[in-house]
Amino acid sequence: MLDNDYKPFLEKIDGIEIYDEKFMSTLTTVLRHVKADGILTNVFATKFYSFHSSLIDLLNISKSLLTNRFIDNSNEENLESGVVLFQVKIDSEGLPTSSYIKIFSALEELAKTIEKAYKLEESDSEVIMLDSGSDTNIGLETKVEIAKSIFQIFKEIWDFITSLKFYRTQQRNQVLLESLSIRKELLKSAEEGVITKEEATEYIHIIKTRTDSLIGMNVLPRALTHNGTKIDSSKILEEYRLKVLEERNE
């Protein structure tokens, strides 16, 4: 009732009346009855019970109609389906259209570059879900290899920036770039002649800059922000964005 985000909803379903001080005071008196029939036949008790019973029914119906299956899946299940579920941290009411365009473009370029780097058959990646709220979830569907690679890139960056190494290293961006698994793989492919050195350099640059851009827009795989830790992801994302900008301007 005290939360402005939920209060309008409670008002719509008469929840404010149920938790009114007078109603709750009367209910407390009713619940002192020793016999169950004295409670079950009381109008206040039945109204209190019916309200919460209906609320549970509403929750179950909403889940079945509105919840996207990728939200309920584990990260491993989604990746095996070629899906990376991202979350966009939003501080305001929502994002302007231009921001969504930048996010979608960066995701598309990232997927396409990895596809070229691994010499995979050309295909299109698709945004298969987009929901709104205090934070926005974006589902990207692509090849399984690309989905796993994208997640791994973000995970390595996230592990790096949440570690003490990130704060101890002066040239953080360069050290992070050199530690990425995909960079090592591409350099090895260049040595073996699978791709040229120029292609390796170009792919590494695009992958890192597009990932930086997405993190700068508060975009991160949902599994990394919902891993049960007490890390303040919003604060760390902002710190990372500022430090990357500082190093680029040096």
Side-chain angles (χ1 to χ4, degrees):
M1 286 172 61
L2 299 177
D3 191 315
N4 291 330
D5 290 333
Y6 296 119
K7 188 175 180 179
F9 175 73
L10 278 176
E11 289 175 342
K12 290 286 185 182
I13 60 174
D14 296 329
I16 301 297
E17 178 189 349
I18 293 294
Y19 282 92
D20 176 74
E21 184 177 343
K22 183 179 180 181
F23 187 100
M24 294 303 294
S25 177
T26 304
L27 183 65
T28 302
T29 303
V30 172
L31 293 178
R32 290 176 183 167
H33 283 283
V34 177
K35 294 183 179 180
D37 58 358
I39 297 175
L40 297 176
T41 58
N42 185 275
V43 64
F44 288 93
T46 54
K47 191 169 185 178
F48 184 79
Y49 172 81
S50 297
F51 170 76
H52 290 91
S53 178
S54 299
L55 201 59
I56 292 172
D57 290 339
L58 182 61
L59 173 64
N60 292 331
I61 292 171
S62 299
K63 279 185 175 181
S64 64
L65 293 177
L66 303 176
T67 300
N68 190 291
R69 65 185 176 90
F70 296 111
I71 295 289
D72 295 327
N73 284 350
S74 68
N75 183 55
E76 290 72 23
E77 288 175 321
N78 284 335
L79 292 179
E80 289 297 335
S81 300
V83 173
V84 187
L85 195 59
F86 291 91
Q87 186 170 71
V88 188
K89 292 287 183 182
I90 301 175
D91 298 323
S92 57
E93 290 292 325
L95 289 178
T97 304
S98 58
S99 294
Y100 281 112
I101 293 173
K102 289 177 182 178
I103 291 171
F104 295 155
S105 297
L107 288 173
E108 175 68 14
E109 287 184 75
L110 186 58
K112 281 294 182 185
T113 301
I114 294 173
E115 184 179 69
K116 292 178 183 177
Y118 287 151
K119 298 292 184 180
L120 298 172
E121 184 179 344
E122 189 173 338
S123 64
D124 291 325
S125 299
E126 297 181 3
V127 173
I128 55 173
M129 68 165 287
L130 175 65
D131 65 24
S132 61
S134 55
D135 293 320
T136 294
N137 292 305
I138 298 175
L140 177 71
E141 185 175 39
T142 182
K143 290 187 176 73
V144 174
E145 303 96 312
I146 296 175
K148 290 182 176 180
S149 182
I150 289 175
F151 179 77
Q152 184 62 27
I153 291 167
F154 276 94
K155 185 178 185 305
E156 290 178 4
I157 292 176
W158 187 244
D159 288 345
F160 183 88
I161 65 178
T162 54
S163 69
L164 291 175
K165 186 178 180 181
F166 177 62
Y167 297 95
R168 290 173 179 167
T169 308
Q170 187 172 3
Q171 293 297 323
R172 301 173 185 85
N173 206 28
Q174 183 59 33
V175 174
L176 172 55
L177 177 60
E178 292 173 356
S179 70
L180 291 178
S181 299
I182 194 167
R183 176 182 180 274
K184 297 171 184 176
E185 292 173 17
L186 292 176
L187 291 177
K188 183 179 179 181
S189 294
E191 290 177 3
E192 295 173 350
V194 179
I195 58 177
T196 66
K197 290 183 179 180
E198 289 75 17
E199 285 176 326
T201 300
E202 178 189 356
Y203 297 155
I204 291 168
H205 173 73
I206 294 175
I207 289 169
K208 183 59 171 60
T209 55
R210 298 308 178 272
T211 306
D212 279 344
S213 295
L214 287 164
I215 293 176
M217 292 184 283
N218 293 332
V219 180
L220 202 67
R222 195 171 187 271
L224 299 180
T225 60
H226 289 70
N227 59 3
T229 64
K230 295 182 179 180
I231 294 173
D232 186 343
S233 56
S234 298
K235 182 179 179 181
I236 291 178
L237 286 170
E238 180 62 17
E239 287 178 356
Y240 177 75
R241 185 182 69 83
L242 292 174
K243 285 180 171 61
V244 169
L245 288 173
E246 285 174 6
E247 290 185 11
R248 285 181 180 174
N249 293 328
E250 288 178 357

